[in-house]
């Protein structure tokens, strides 16, 4: 029962984090703020969801695969957001300086 509660709580935290990130994607003013919000929260949300699945599954081959997916996401998500921001900057997208 404790494993079910801990895994459910971790998955719920991950879903809430992803929802907050999607709100940041909609509400923030420019591409750079949006990339920052989504990049930070995406990594945390996916990590919590994978942690919940690992807790629920126990120690099996599926757990090892989930950990590899988590490690892959942990390293590639910041790299991808940096690449998108760099392309936006190169293309001449200017950040919003005032929120008037």
């Amino acid at each position: 029962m404790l494993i079910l509660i801990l895994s459910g709580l971790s998955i719920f935290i991950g879903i809430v984090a992803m929802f907050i990130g999607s709100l940041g994607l909609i509400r923030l003013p420019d591409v750079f703020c949006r990339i920052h919000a989504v990049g930070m929260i995406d990594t945390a949300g996916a990590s919590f969801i994978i942690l919940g699945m690992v807790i629920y599954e126990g120690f099996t081959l599926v757990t090892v695969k989930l950990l590899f997916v988590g490690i892959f996401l942990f390293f590639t998500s910041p790299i991808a957001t940096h690449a998108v921001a760099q392309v936006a900057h190169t293309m001449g997208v200017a950040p919003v300086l005032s929120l008037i």
Side-chain angles (χ1 to χ4, degrees):
M1 189 67 165
L2 181 63
I3 290 174
L4 188 62
I5 292 170
L6 288 176
S7 66
L9 182 65
S10 180
I11 291 172
F12 178 74
I13 290 170
I15 290 171
V16 169
M18 292 286 218
F19 181 71
I20 291 170
S22 65
L23 288 177
L25 181 65
I26 294 170
R27 298 286 299 167
L28 291 175
D30 65 349
V31 68
F32 300 107
C33 293
R34 291 176 182 174
I35 289 171
H36 180 71
V38 172
M40 300 284 289
I41 296 297
D42 178 40
T43 305
S47 299
F48 273 112
I49 291 172
I50 289 173
L51 177 67
M53 290 188 289
V54 165
I55 292 171
Y56 183 76
E57 188 61 34
F59 187 69
T60 61
L61 183 61
V62 173
T63 303
V64 174
K65 292 177 184 179
L66 284 169
L67 290 175
F68 279 129
V69 169
I71 291 169
F72 179 77
L73 284 174
F74 183 76
F75 286 110
T76 57
S77 181
I79 293 169
T81 55
H82 177 75
V84 171
Q86 190 173 15
V87 167
H89 180 69
T90 303
M91 297 297 290
V93 176
V96 175
L97 298 177
S98 65
L99 299 174
I100 297 175

